DNA sequence: TTTAACAGCCAAATCGCTTTGGATAATTTT
DNA sequence: AAAATTATCCAAAGCGATTTGGCTGTTAAA
């Protein structure tokens, strides 16, 4: 049943039926009720295809996953972030459009989305330093919101981000206060802006404590369990091993723990570990008591908020670019303790 | 630039331009080249909105996430499965449409999708026993493919599934061969069909070995790390604890391991653990050597294959319903060993 | 040489909705 | 009672593609 058929059944014009259903005032309350009832009775649902051609809106929000970033992004971020965003989208009548795309096509896909008119807005993930997608989206006049930030970008844009620098700085300070001097950083890929900021927080705290950074204690890679295990193990096997680790993700910290335990050491006594915890629903940092000392910030909540901001932007309810910076919460767990005295 | 403008520029009719670009034969090779070049030059891209209204196809495939299942589904399945499916979609010009929906609306959403015409097909996740969505989708004549199976459903439908029964049966047999007699099962939610099949495999193996099932050794819940930890710990604290565990997911097995180690026991010596391993990219069961003895089957590969099958179905290249059952591979790791002798 | 077949192109209808610009009747204002 | 509003409703023009049914010349068959 389409609009024409419904209007014929009712003996009304398509205009009136359309207006009645969409709540326009040029329709008497009596007919509106009559139309609503008929629509209900005949199970009429407007074709979104036609509506979007007529209105230019698709009620879809685009998320692009570049193939190269699959390992890191799809999993860590897309998992809970999308669940959060999806909730808000649903509440507002939107749906998500995910497209996996090879890196070479990454610029073109945004032009396509604009020209094709398949989405009303775009959520940008995991920006790098000086991310080219931002000026591109801006020039395309496609509403977008960035989850994270891109240092060095001159185009103004709206974003929501965790204060990554401050978070890791606090993690480092916490370890310094416990007397640690050899603190390792297992970071995410430093092509991403968040990882750059985290390193900067780490280096800042060390510098403030007059400790020279040791490059043998700094590694950066995809945030997987095996990388945490491997890099952590190698550092522990060094002649002058670290007494503490900062891991950029919970999953990496699991790997570090495995390396520690495999060497007969005890986490929290012999070696301390702090991690950044995105508060992943099915991999929580302990349900009752935490496993790791961590800087915690819910990526699902971020997804929700990003969705809200983007929808506001699409609806032109955002007069100027908005920025939201969240502070991560320091949760003390059993994985950190005083630095072992030198022996 | 739209079709009309392009055709005006070329001095051709819209019909001819459309046909030239879409490879129809009623166009001379000379004009086709001319049209292609002009399209390229003017950066013409057909509006998907208009195309889909005209053709009735949207080049989108729907995935529905019911809110209640968020914890379990979004994460475990959606993570790698979507990455795999997304790859194939991209290769074929499709994109994914994710909608998060509250349970009450779950039936209606499919009717909506059909009536609205927003997707060309649907991928059904995590079917339960006698899943009502299957007859519904069938009656709606919306092409769909089920990842998993739904026991008790009479409607014929196409599916791809792992042989869950056989997998867990083999896991159980492996432990029995090692001499274990008290084997615990930590299963996923048994409202899902896969969990029912796994339990059935477990019970079947026990029965074949003339061992009575002990309900104090069977638990079922969301497949999270904390649940594995909690249930595993409680069982170990029982007067007559199990000597081996079967965990329905890798993440749960991590929880079990934590419970084991916390009690000063050694996994693989004092207590054995086998798990089902979906081969999650960022949480692999060890990169070089496995952590757990496991039944392994890549959920990402399943995503890829499901996408292929569904696309074939949409394109009417599937004469009758197809079924594909995959066998999980038994990987022996250090987490299993002979049952400790009674003392 | 006539006729049939075909290659190449086009005008116009179609998909199903929204929205503009009236038209008509009822109501209010003068 | 006439004029000006206002409340309701409608016809038709869009959105931008695809596709049906024809209309011309050319070429091949009779």
């Amino acid at each position: 049943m389409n609009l024409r058929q419904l209007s014929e059944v009712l003996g009304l014009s398509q205009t009136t039926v359309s207006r009645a259903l969409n709540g326009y005032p040029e329709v008497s309350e009596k007919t509106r009720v009559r139309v609503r009832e008929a629509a209900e009775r005949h199970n009429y649902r407007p074709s979104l295809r036609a509506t979007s051609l007529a209105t230019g809106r698709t009620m879809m929000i685009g998320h692009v996953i570049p193939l190269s970033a699959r390992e890191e992004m799809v999993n860590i971020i897309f998992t809970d972030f999308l669940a959060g965003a999806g909730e808000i989208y649903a509440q507002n009548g939107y749906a998500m459009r995910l497209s996996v795309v090879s890196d070479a096509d990454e610029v073109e896909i945004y032009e396509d989305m604009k020209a094709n008119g398949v989405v009303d807005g775009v959520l940008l993930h995991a920006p790098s330093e000086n991310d080219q997608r931002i000026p591109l989206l801006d020039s395309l006049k496609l509403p977008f919101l960035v989850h994270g930030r891109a240092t060095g970008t001159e185009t103004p844009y709206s974003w929501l981000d965790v204060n990554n620098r401050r978070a890791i700085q606090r993690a480092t300070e916490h370890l310094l206060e416990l007397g640690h001097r050899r603190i390792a950083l297992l970071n995410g890929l430093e092509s991403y802006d968040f990882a750059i900021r985290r390193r900067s927080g780490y280096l800042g705290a060390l510098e403030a404590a007059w400790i020279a950074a040791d490059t043998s204690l700094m590694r950066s890679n995809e945030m997987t369990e095996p990388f945490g295990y491997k890099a952590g193990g190698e550092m522990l096997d060094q002649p002058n091993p670290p007494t503490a680790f900062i891991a950029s993700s919970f999953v990496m910290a699991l790997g570090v723990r495995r390396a520690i335990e495999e060497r007969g050491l005890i986490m929290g006594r012999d070696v301390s570990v702090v991690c950044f915890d995105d508060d992943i629903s099915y991999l929580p940092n302990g349900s009752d008591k935490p496993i790791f000392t961590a800087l915690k910030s819910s990526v699902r909540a971020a997804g929700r908020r990003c969705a809200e901001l983007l929808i506001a932007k699409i609806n032109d309810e955002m007069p100027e670019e908005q920025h939201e910076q969240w502070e991560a919460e320091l949760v003390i767990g059993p994985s950190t303790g005083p630095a072992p005295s030198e022996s």
Side-chain angles (χ1 to χ4, degrees), chain A residues 77 79-88 147 278-282 297-306 326:
Chain A
I77 297 187
T79 284
D80 266 34
F81 185 91
L82 289 190
E87 250 179 86
I88 303 298
H147 178 215
D278 291 297
D279 202 15
I280 311 283
S281 55
Y282 67 108
S297 181
S298 164
V299 70
R300 174 171 295 198
R304 277 196 285 261
R305 184 64 183 143
C306 281
W326 291 10

Side-chain angles (χ1 to χ4, degrees), chain A residues 127 134 144-150 155-163 197 305-306 309 313 318 321-326:
Chain A
I134 292 174
F144 69 102
L145 192 117
V146 181
H147 178 215
R149 267 172 291 177
T155 318
Y157 62 95
S158 295
W159 51 262
L160 181 151
D161 197 9
V162 172
N163 193 340
R197 288 174 193 271
R305 184 64 183 143
C306 281
L309 290 171
K313 189 143 212 215
M318 198 188 279
E321 304 300 342
Q322 278 206 25
H323 313 303
E324 219 165 274
Q325 180 160 237
W326 291 10

Side-chain angles (χ1 to χ4, degrees), chain A residues 40-58:
Chain A
E40 180 81 18
R41 188 152 24 91
H42 293 89
N43 202 27
Y44 165 75
R45 323 198 182 193
S47 154
L48 253 182
R49 285 196 220 109
T51 307
S52 75
L53 178 56
T55 61
R57 300 191 57 168
T58 58

Side-chain angles (χ1 to χ4, degrees), chain A residues 66-67 101-109:
Chain A
L67 264 175
V101 75
S102 72
D103 299 41
D105 305 336
E106 230 218 300
V107 168
E108 204 174 1
I109 188 103

Side-chain angles (χ1 to χ4, degrees), chain A residues 83-116:
Chain A
E87 250 179 86
I88 303 298
Y89 291 159
Q91 283 170 23
N92 292 273
Y94 283 88
M96 258 180 278
R97 183 193 152 100
L98 285 200
S99 40
V100 175
V101 75
S102 72
D103 299 41
D105 305 336
E106 230 218 300
V107 168
E108 204 174 1
I109 188 103
Y110 291 107
E111 294 171 350
D112 277 351
M113 288 210 275
K114 174 66 181 184
N116 288 337

Side-chain angles (χ1 to χ4, degrees), chain A residues 94-244:
Chain A
Y94 283 88
M96 258 180 278
R97 183 193 152 100
L98 285 200
S99 40
V100 175
V101 75
S102 72
D103 299 41
D105 305 336
E106 230 218 300
V107 168
E108 204 174 1
I109 188 103
Y110 291 107
E111 294 171 350
D112 277 351
M113 288 210 275
K114 174 66 181 184
N116 288 337
V118 290
V119 296
D120 295 340
V122 167
L123 231 157
L124 206 66
H125 295 279
S128 59
E129 191 172 1
N130 220 320
D131 201 304
Q132 288 310 302
R133 296 173 296 176
I134 292 174
L136 172 65
L137 283 169
D138 182 66
S139 70
L140 288 173
K141 304 234 173 305
L142 195 55
F144 69 102
L145 192 117
V146 181
H147 178 215
R149 267 172 291 177
T151 314
T153 306
E154 282 166 25
T155 318
Y157 62 95
S158 295
W159 51 262
L160 181 151
D161 197 9
V162 172
N163 193 340
N164 281 297
R165 186 181 195 289
R166 182 90 194 86
I168 298 303
Q169 190 181 344
R170 284 170 71 195
T172 315
E173 285 164 3
H174 174 68
L175 291 168
L176 288 168
E177 280 161 20
L178 287 168
H180 294 275
R181 288 299 170 266
R182 291 190 59 72
I183 301 171
L185 174 68
L186 300 186
N187 206 358
L189 282 171
E190 291 176 356
S191 46
Y192 294 118
D193 203 83
F194 80 89
I196 300 174
R197 288 174 193 271
R198 288 185 183 177
R199 183 182 54 191
S200 150
Y202 165 80
L203 292 175
L206 288 187
E207 198 180 344
W210 300 94
I211 295 177
D214 179 346
T215 51
S216 79
L217 296 182
M218 295 169 64
R219 293 282 292 275
S220 143
N221 209 322
E222 292 204 346
M223 302 192 288
T224 61
E225 201 269 358
F227 174 66
Y229 171 71
K230 182 158 175 290
E234 286 169 7
M235 287 183 181
L236 287 173
D237 293 339
Q238 278 179 192
N240 195 359
T243 63

Side-chain angles (χ1 to χ4, degrees), chain A residues 245-268:
Chain A
F245 284 91
I246 296 175
S248 228
S249 85
F250 176 75
V251 166
M252 266 170 128
L254 287 177
V256 173
R257 185 181 67 173
R258 184 154 63 99
I260 290 171
E261 287 172 352
E262 199 180 76
R263 281 161 183 77
L265 301 168
I266 290 181
M267 179 173 78

